[in-house]
Amino acid sequence: MDKSQLIEATAGKAADNGDGHRPTTENVEQVIEALFGTVEHPGSIAEALSRGETVNLGSFGSFHTEGGTAAFRPGRALTEFLQGTTG
């Protein structure tokens, strides 16, 4: 899945929340860019990691640094979903 596919999928998933509102792909793209950033403009996650913080996303997982490199540790919900053990 590339960035444009992620944006489309996220907009569609947000529309499935039942309130009849679908965010525009432009809105979703702005949020994704603000969260993950680019080389020229780091996002919220990169900025937190550069300050030595861990970014916890609940049971999805967390981003942290290991030896100067960003790392991701999957959480329980993601792990169970990928293993097919969720209900």
Side-chain angles (χ1 to χ4, degrees):
M1 176 179 282
D2 66 16
K3 182 179 173 183
S4 63
Q5 292 168 320
L6 176 62
I7 290 166
E8 279 294 327
T10 303
K13 191 76 168 170
D16 291 342
N17 71 8
D19 70 358
H21 174 52
R22 176 186 170 101
T24 67
T25 55
E26 291 81 13
N27 292 142
V28 173
E29 182 173 12
Q30 287 176 332
V31 170
I32 288 174
E33 287 183 2
L35 183 62
F36 294 103
T38 64
V39 173
E40 297 83 18
H41 305 285
S44 302
I45 292 173
E47 289 174 345
L49 295 176
S50 73
R51 293 189 300 267
E53 298 175 33
T54 297
V55 178
N56 291 304
L57 301 175
S59 60
F60 178 79
S62 63
F63 291 93
H64 59 282
T65 56
E66 289 181 0
T69 301
F72 177 74
R73 179 176 300 126
R76 181 176 173 196
L78 178 59
T79 300
E80 289 180 0
F81 175 78
L82 293 174
Q83 292 173 349
T85 58
T86 59

